[in-house]
Amino acid sequence: MTFAPPRALRPNDAVAVVAPSGPFDRPSFEKGLALLATRYRPIFTERIFATHRYLAGRDEDRARELQEVLDNDAVCAIFMARGGYGSMRLLPAVRLGGSRALVGFSDTTALHLATQARGWRSLHAPVLTQLGKQRPDVVTRLFNLLEGRSVAPLAGTRTVVPGVAEGPLLGGNLSVLTRLLGTPYLPSLRGCVLLVEDVGERPYRLDRMWTHLELAGALEGVAGVVFGELTGCEEKDATYTPDEVLDECAQRLGVPCAAGFPIGHGDVNFPVPLGARVCLDADRQALTLLEGLVT
Amino acid sequence: MTFAPPRALRPNDAVAVVAPSGPFDRPSFEKGLALLATRYRPIFTERIFATHRYLAGRDEDRARELQEVLDNDAVCAIFMARGGYGSMRLLPAVRLGGSRALVGFSDTTALHLATQARGWRSLHAPVLTQLGKQRPDVVTRLFNLLEGRSVAPLAGTRTVVPGVAEGPLLGGNLSVLTRLLGTPYLPSLRGCVLLVEDVGERPYRLDRMWTHLELAGALEGVAGVVFGELTGCEEKDATYTPDEVLDECAQRLGVPCAAGFPIGHGDVNFPVPLGARVCLDADRQALTLLEGLVT
């Protein structure tokens, strides 16, 4: 399976900011927006500030907003304001995939996977409310990937299953990924290097999600596994850790796996292109891009 | 779709107690066991008291225990010690279905659904650690259902979508049910009256689970929906309730639905046979059994 690259950005290109998921804190958003505006021309409407329960407005409004920027040739990339929850609700209503890079993570995983299911690459990277808290090298890497420059390999901290694997990088947030099992929005994971990160999920829930992947047969043929951050997943007063629970899952699968990559809900969320071919060297705990994000 | 009834119990029959899910508190277990022993002869081994992280022992041991009682003709019904998490991990290793009634709820939903996927009825009822805290009429209803006597309709508290629906009752815990989407262990829900209860799931998570059912097409042809208890699902400081979130989901589906049935993690968890035909009168908020549990 190969995934088509979206087009490269150039400085000062118009980029859209949308809010298909949860409502957000304005100051964090403004901080990320200011960073984005140092390089591109962000455009958005007041709609993104709407709130409906745990959603950034009603489904029909969030879906229309997203479809409009997907259809707008003047938009060169699409940035998510925030994650949270809600993008999977829009999947039947929007037509994803195409030459504009989609940028986000966490709840955006639903949009990423649906984009890959339609054959396109996209960018796992901070949402705007997270971007302002990131280190400068994260922001530089984001711009480099969007503009087609090569980036350094990422380093993990732990070998879980030794070996080397190559394949397109797919995945992201484990909770969101597994909520697409049995739906038309999850691409086949056969041959891929599977990226997994999560936040605020107790160890038994991580176990349950991985078990779901297993029972659904979704892990058949997966070439390798990359564990990013498991932020706030510790069980209070437990003698076991989230790491040990997921390590055991990966060992059961038995393909090369390394953990501790700086990808996810931590202070450092390095961008990685989804659908692009990568090489995971689990022995050396290194994730190297064999393809970029863009043409 | 019809589901075969297990055989009826008689007083003093031998019944097995197993622990395919999480470890448990001994005093609660003993209290439930004592109630069970007022009517039947419970048999179990010391194995059920094992603990491995959040599981009542290792998978191979829990699976062997369950398979042994499923294969044991001297056992007339199988009671779960507790829910929690872990039974779905055993699904590939055990052969469910057969003439012995399986009794439990919550995490047991995985075993129930796999039992229905193989064409058999089973009993949604308190696990032993919950049984000792239940009202006497709950225990009487449990014995009546297991012994083939008729039981009273259950009353809900709220009409969500008016109308009347008939079909086999399927479902149980929403978290566990949705963790079988895309696996071979979930029976078709077409034509069924869907039972849903849950505990400790924030409203956006309830939404996410229901949305998963929708995106997977699993709700197509569902005849009616019965909401049991949503215990501890309230979001702190929120202006919205779990009820209103799930009500909206059911309204989107548009089939007869009533809520507030005393089934689930509350103080009153009335037993209902899964796979048996029921009539849901959503206008009158009444759930009537058209078939019993047993032959």
Side-chain angles (χ1 to χ4, degrees):
Chain A
M1 185 90 185
T2 60
F3 300 89
R7 70 185 193 219
L9 286 196
R10 288 160 307 183
N12 213 35
D13 271 351
V15 298
V17 178
V18 295
S21 306
F24 49 86
D25 164 59
R26 190 80 177 240
S28 304
F29 169 76
E30 296 288 355
K31 218 173 149 192
L33 184 69
L35 266 175
L36 189 62
T38 62
R39 191 82 182 172
Y40 311 115
R41 280 185 299 116
I43 53 175
F44 58 91
T45 71
E46 285 296 304
R47 206 233 46 86
I48 65 169
F49 304 115
T51 295
H52 174 61
R53 296 179 190 146
Y54 37 76
L55 302 168
R58 302 222 168 234
D59 286 358
E60 51 270 34
D61 298 328
R62 297 183 347 272
R64 191 184 312 114
E65 171 181 270
L66 181 55
Q67 192 61 59
E68 276 175 11
V69 301
L70 283 162
D71 292 341
N72 183 349
D73 282 336
V75 165
C76 300
I78 304 171
F79 288 79
M80 305 303 142
R82 193 208 148 200
Y85 169 68
S87 70
M88 72 182 280
R89 289 177 61 112
L90 310 185
L91 292 176
V94 296
R95 202 174 48 259
L96 288 155
S99 62
R100 278 169 295 288
L102 203 74
V103 185
F105 85 116
S106 195
D107 191 58
T108 314
T109 298
L111 303 179
H112 284 313
L113 287 166
T115 299
Q116 273 91 66
R118 295 181 61 93
W120 291 85
R121 298 181 206 166
S122 58
L123 189 56
H124 192 278
V127 292
L128 286 203
T129 52
Q130 190 200 34
L131 189 64
K133 298 168 192 136
Q134 297 287 307
R135 293 195 327 216
D137 54 342
V138 171
V139 181
T140 302
R141 185 181 170 97
L142 175 68
F143 296 160
N144 282 341
L145 280 165
L146 285 166
E147 295 173 24
R149 285 183 294 278
S150 64
V151 296
L154 293 182
T157 57
R158 205 154 38 80
T159 299
V160 180
V161 179
V164 176
E166 278 189 27
L169 187 69
L170 294 179
N173 185 267
L174 182 61
S175 300
V176 177
L177 164 70
T178 55
R179 285 299 172 200
L180 297 185
L181 283 165
T183 79
Y185 307 105
L186 184 67
S188 167
L189 302 180
R190 188 169 287 278
C192 86
V193 173
L194 179 64
L195 171 65
V196 164
E197 67 84 27
D198 220 320
V199 60
E201 297 292 340
R202 297 166 65 187
Y204 89 88
R205 287 180 181 254
L206 297 172
D207 175 329
R208 188 161 70 179
M209 292 188 266
W210 188 276
T211 301
H212 191 183
L213 286 169
E214 286 179 342
L215 295 184
L219 297 175
E220 280 163 28
V222 163
V225 177
V226 169
F227 288 139
E229 307 278 357
L230 299 173
T231 310
C233 292
E234 299 76 20
E235 180 85 41
K236 206 168 153 257
D237 302 325
T239 54
Y240 51 89
T241 65
D243 283 340
E244 107 188 43
V245 167
L246 274 191
D247 283 4
E248 197 175 284
C249 291
Q251 283 153 2
R252 212 154 62 218
L253 183 60
V255 300
C257 173
F261 286 87
I263 300 172
H265 287 77
D267 293 336
V268 183
N269 182 14
F270 278 115
V272 282
L274 296 167
R277 285 185 69 80
V278 297
C279 175
L280 167 68
D281 184 333
D283 303 312
R284 294 177 184 182
Q285 304 147 21
L287 182 67
T288 308
L289 304 190
L290 304 177
E291 291 180 326
L293 170 69
V294 295
T295 42
Chain B
M1 184 90 186
T2 59
F3 300 88
R7 69 184 194 220
L9 286 195
R10 289 160 306 182
N12 212 35
D13 271 350
V15 298
V17 178
V18 294
S21 307
F24 49 86
D25 164 59
R26 190 81 176 240
S28 302
F29 169 77
E30 296 288 354
K31 218 172 148 191
L33 184 69
L35 266 176
L36 189 62
T38 62
R39 192 80 181 173
Y40 311 115
R41 280 185 300 116
I43 54 174
F44 58 92
T45 72
E46 285 296 304
R47 206 234 45 87
I48 65 170
F49 304 115
T51 296
H52 175 61
R53 296 181 188 143
Y54 36 77
L55 302 168
R58 303 221 168 235
D59 285 359
E60 51 270 34
D61 298 329
R62 297 183 348 272
R64 190 184 313 115
E65 170 182 271
L66 182 54
Q67 192 61 58
E68 276 175 10
V69 300
L70 283 162
D71 293 341
N72 183 350
D73 282 337
V75 165
C76 300
I78 304 170
F79 288 78
M80 306 302 143
R82 192 207 148 201
Y85 168 69
S87 70
M88 72 184 278
R89 289 178 60 112
L90 310 185
L91 292 177
V94 296
R95 200 175 52 259
L96 290 154
S99 61
R100 277 170 295 288
L102 203 75
V103 185
F105 86 116
S106 196
D107 190 59
T108 314
T109 298
L111 303 178
H112 284 314
L113 286 166
T115 298
Q116 273 91 66
R118 296 182 59 93
W120 290 85
R121 298 181 206 167
S122 59
L123 188 56
H124 191 279
V127 292
L128 286 204
T129 52
Q130 189 200 35
L131 189 63
K133 299 167 191 136
Q134 297 286 308
R135 293 193 329 214
D137 53 343
V138 171
V139 181
T140 303
R141 185 181 170 97
L142 174 67
F143 298 160
N144 282 340
L145 280 164
L146 285 166
E147 296 173 24
R149 284 183 294 278
S150 63
V151 295
L154 293 183
T157 57
R158 208 168 73 252
T159 299
V160 180
V161 178
V164 176
E166 277 188 29
L169 187 68
L170 293 179
N173 184 267
L174 182 60
S175 300
V176 178
L177 164 71
T178 56
R179 286 298 172 200
L180 297 185
L181 283 165
T183 79
Y185 307 105
L186 184 67
S188 166
L189 302 180
R190 188 169 286 278
C192 86
V193 173
L194 179 63
L195 170 65
V196 165
E197 67 83 27
D198 219 321
V199 60
E201 297 293 339
R202 298 166 64 186
Y204 89 88
R205 288 181 180 253
L206 297 172
D207 175 328
R208 186 161 72 179
M209 292 188 266
W210 189 276
T211 301
H212 192 183
L213 287 168
E214 286 179 342
L215 295 183
L219 297 174
E220 281 163 28
V222 163
V225 177
V226 169
F227 288 139
E229 306 280 356
L230 299 173
T231 310
C233 293
E234 300 75 21
E235 180 85 41
K236 207 168 152 257
D237 301 325
T239 54
Y240 52 86
T241 66
D243 282 341
E244 106 188 44
V245 166
L246 274 190
D247 283 6
E248 197 175 283
C249 290
Q251 282 152 3
R252 211 154 62 219
L253 183 61
V255 300
C257 174
F261 286 88
I263 300 171
H265 286 77
D267 294 335
V268 183
N269 181 15
F270 277 116
V272 283
L274 297 167
R277 286 186 69 80
V278 297
C279 175
L280 167 68
D281 185 332
D283 304 310
R284 295 179 182 178
Q285 303 146 22
L287 182 68
T288 307
L289 304 190
L290 304 177
E291 291 180 327
L293 168 69
V294 295
T295 43

